Amino acid sequence: MNTPHTPASPTHQAADTLAHAGLIRLISEIDDNGPLQRRMLATTLPGLSRRQLTHATTTGRRLGLLRAGRQGGNACYALTSAGRDLAEVYDTAARWARTHHYPHPVSDFTTRVQATLSLLTLQPGATAEAGPDDEAARTLNSVRAALSQWAGDHGDALATNPVPASAQDGMDLAA
């Protein structure tokens, strides 16, 4: 955990901000299947409340990950280049977690991404309960490097509009 005298690194800040389940699912869905019609959000991303969907789309747009547009006369969301690059970071994190059976041998994509990003927020030398073994911890650097590269290329919005995932679930957002 950061103290008031220890500012978060860009990678730590990015990991914390981008770990929201709704954002992970939204970015990954659009990356996998193309633009998503706004009216199809709830049916395409079941299990997310209206509030979580609103938060994911608002955060995605604010951080420059999503753009609103029209496709075939329907309002939709599409990924920007920053969103496509973030989808690659999410894939890298999930691949690492799957390879190392983290956080559990059987976990869904979102849980894998969230758990891996949360490892990146730990201070060097800190260990998470049931964290990765030594070999997995060493290879976690590939995920850290991917996120660091993303933050360096696209993280301007994070510096001006950070919303940590830990605070996102309790946020009241206008629909």
Side-chain angles (χ1 to χ4, degrees):
M1 176 175 269
N2 290 322
T3 64
H5 304 317
T6 308
S9 72
T11 301
H12 177 280
Q13 184 178 358
D16 195 35
T17 300
L18 301 172
H20 188 266
L23 187 62
I24 293 168
R25 289 185 58 198
L26 179 62
I27 296 298
S28 298
E29 174 65 29
I30 296 171
D31 182 57
D32 290 346
N33 298 303
L36 178 60
Q37 292 180 18
R38 287 187 209 178
R39 64 183 172 87
M40 298 301 292
L41 281 171
T43 56
T44 304
L45 301 170
L48 293 177
S49 69
R50 177 182 160 103
R51 184 174 171 184
Q52 290 170 314
L53 290 169
T54 300
H55 178 267
T57 56
T58 301
T59 300
R61 291 184 70 191
R62 190 188 74 234
L63 296 177
L65 306 171
L66 296 174
R67 62 178 165 75
R70 298 194 82 70
Q71 183 179 42
N74 296 308
C76 65
Y77 291 109
L79 295 179
T80 63
S81 64
R84 286 187 300 275
D85 291 348
L86 179 60
E88 288 299 316
V89 173
Y90 286 160
D91 287 342
T92 300
R95 203 170 24 256
W96 178 88
R98 189 175 47 252
T99 298
H100 297 288
H101 308 288
Y102 190 78
H104 307 287
V106 178
S107 297
D108 64 33
F109 180 87
T110 302
T111 301
R112 285 181 171 137
V113 172
Q114 286 181 307
T116 304
L117 292 178
S118 82
L119 283 176
L120 299 179
T121 65
L122 296 175
Q123 294 295 330
T127 57
E129 185 177 316
D133 60 32
D134 290 340
E135 175 62 23
R138 281 192 295 277
T139 61
L140 184 61
N141 285 332
S142 64
V143 180
R144 188 180 317 277
L147 184 60
S148 180
Q149 179 68 45
W150 183 89
D153 292 347
H154 305 291
D156 293 341
L158 293 173
T160 58
N161 297 308
V163 180
S166 56
Q168 292 171 356
D169 291 326
M171 290 181 62
D172 289 323
L173 297 169

